[in-house]
Amino acid sequence: MKKLINDPKNVVAEALEGVALAHPGLLTVVAEPAHIHRADAPVQGKVGLVSGGGSGHEPLHGGFVGYGMLDAAVPGPVFTSPTPDPIVEATKAVDGGAGVLHIVKNYTGDVLNFETAADLAAAEGIEVRAVVIDDDVAVKDSLYTAGRRGVAGTVLVEKIAGAAAQRGDDLDAVTAIAEKVNAQVRSMGVALTAPTVPHAGEPSFSIGDDEIEIGIGIHGEPGRERVGLEPADQIVDRILHPIIEDLPFASGDKVLLFVNGMGGTPLVELYIAFRRAAQVLAENGIEVTRTLVGNYVTSLEMQGFSITVLKLDDELTELWDAPVQTAALRWGR
């Protein structure tokens, strides 16, 4: 195992130290219990947005804390949910009196721990709602979850709901926007290699040099099938068609197309994949009006990518375009 780490036990703590030093003025990093929040939190009168989950998916979630997006993020150990205590502290830190929305990826540990944290925060007088993200069309149940997994669509929920909160929408309205995005977004991924969790010291699963896993999860969970390596266009077709058919997306739809890298895939390859995805959508009469390409929801150093498609309307487009200033996503400000 070759990694730029010191002691595997200190990976998350030392990374958080680095985040604090890299983004002064933008973020406040609390070491114990570990969480990250906006430097100006709480913003009085604004709905607070909190998300989180296991580390190893950076920049998700800490990279999306800031103006127009999340108010706080709670990092757990690598690929492991944070416990309720830091979620409660993050919730309290961003409570500006208008309530707090938890954005939770659909993994059993995340759901249970955020539910417990919401109950504890409510006992302290904070109104908390939760939206559970389940955009992955690959499998219904997996090693880590009941129902569909929450994957790269989470970024789009965080951005659009964050913009709604930033413009002053109340808790009911921000929750409704987050639920709307989740209902209209679909994702699917593919892995070429396995990630290596630092404390494990070996790949999470075994895959041949000439094999790929279709429908992989962001922790290395199995997908729909394992097939031989194919040209990029054929791989894109394999994962995009199930996305289109699931909602289903239809001719005349306007969409945001998001091609996400899993951490070990060069950007040049992601653009090759984006090119084919855009072609397929155009062939189906689906217009790509907004785009995002890059490493936003990773799986450590896994080689692979995912495709996410969000059906847009005027309101969602306006909220996507709204200014945002975070470590990993920034425009308009």
Side-chain angles (χ1 to χ4, degrees):
M1 179 179 74
K2 292 181 180 179
K3 287 186 178 290
L4 289 171
I5 63 173
N6 297 304
D7 188 329
K9 297 192 296 293
N10 298 331
V11 165
V12 175
E14 291 182 357
L16 289 174
E17 288 182 34
V19 169
L21 293 168
H23 304 289
L26 178 66
L27 303 175
T28 296
V29 178
V30 178
E32 187 60 41
H35 62 281
I36 301 167
H37 61 76
R38 284 174 58 160
D40 59 352
V43 181
Q44 294 302 316
K46 188 185 89 67
V47 173
L49 265 64
V50 178
S51 193
S55 296
H57 304 302
E58 289 76 19
L60 194 77
H61 294 272
F64 303 125
V65 173
Y67 181 95
M69 209 159 173
L70 294 177
D71 292 87
V74 189
V78 175
F79 289 3
T80 303
S81 173
T83 59
D85 286 350
I87 301 171
V88 172
E89 292 306 310
T91 301
K92 291 162 62 175
V94 304
D95 174 32
V100 175
L101 177 64
H102 287 171
I103 297 175
V104 188
K105 300 189 303 303
N106 189 32
Y107 295 96
T108 302
D110 288 3
V111 172
L112 292 175
N113 289 338
F114 270 89
E115 284 179 351
T116 300
D119 290 342
L120 294 170
E124 299 197 33
I126 302 173
E127 186 177 5
V128 179
R129 304 279 179 81
V131 173
V132 177
I133 311 304
D134 57 356
D135 56 307
D136 185 13
V137 307
V139 292
K140 181 179 179 182
D141 298 296
S142 75
L143 186 63
Y144 292 88
T145 188
R148 292 182 167 185
R149 303 173 293 210
V151 289
T154 309
V155 175
L156 310 188
V157 176
E158 292 175 352
K159 168 62 183 81
I160 291 172
Q166 193 67 58
R167 75 180 177 185
D169 288 13
D170 65 17
L171 184 57
D172 287 340
V174 174
T175 302
I177 285 287
E179 291 173 340
K180 179 179 178 179
V181 176
N182 186 54
Q184 296 183 186
V185 67
R186 298 292 187 272
S187 302
M188 191 167 171
V190 59
L192 282 65
T193 64
T196 298
V197 176
H199 65 261
E202 58 186 29
S204 299
F205 59 91
S206 177
I207 188 167
D209 290 342
D210 59 348
E211 294 179 318
I212 57 175
E213 183 83 17
I214 302 295
I216 196 75
I218 58 173
H219 306 94
E221 311 98 305
R224 287 186 171 189
E225 60 180 332
R226 184 168 294 191
V227 301
L229 182 62
E230 299 172 333
D233 285 2
Q234 290 177 236
I235 297 172
V236 169
D237 290 354
R238 277 187 181 271
I239 65 174
L240 182 55
H241 285 295
I243 291 172
I244 295 173
E245 294 162 4
D246 191 89
L247 191 61
F249 293 90
S251 179
D253 283 348
K254 295 182 177 181
V255 302
L256 186 158
L257 174 59
F258 172 24
V259 172
N260 172 67
M262 295 291 193
T265 302
L267 195 56
V268 65
E269 296 178 21
L270 297 182
Y271 278 113
I272 290 172
F274 185 93
R275 157 196 157 275
R276 177 57 181 168
Q279 289 174 351
V280 172
L281 291 172
E283 289 166 3
N284 285 271
I286 299 167
E287 183 182 0
V288 176
T289 61
R290 295 295 183 273
T291 64
L292 187 65
V293 183
N295 289 285
Y296 294 100
V297 183
T298 62
S299 183
L300 293 170
E301 80 283 24
M302 179 192 284
Q303 288 181 268
F305 70 100
S306 62
I307 297 174
T308 297
V309 183
L310 168 64
K311 184 176 179 179
L312 292 171
D313 58 21
D314 289 345
E315 181 181 36
L316 296 187
T317 301
E318 178 184 343
L319 290 168
W320 177 257
D321 289 345
V324 59
Q325 185 175 2
T326 70
L329 208 64
R330 182 177 302 197
W331 58 70
R333 198 164 186 256

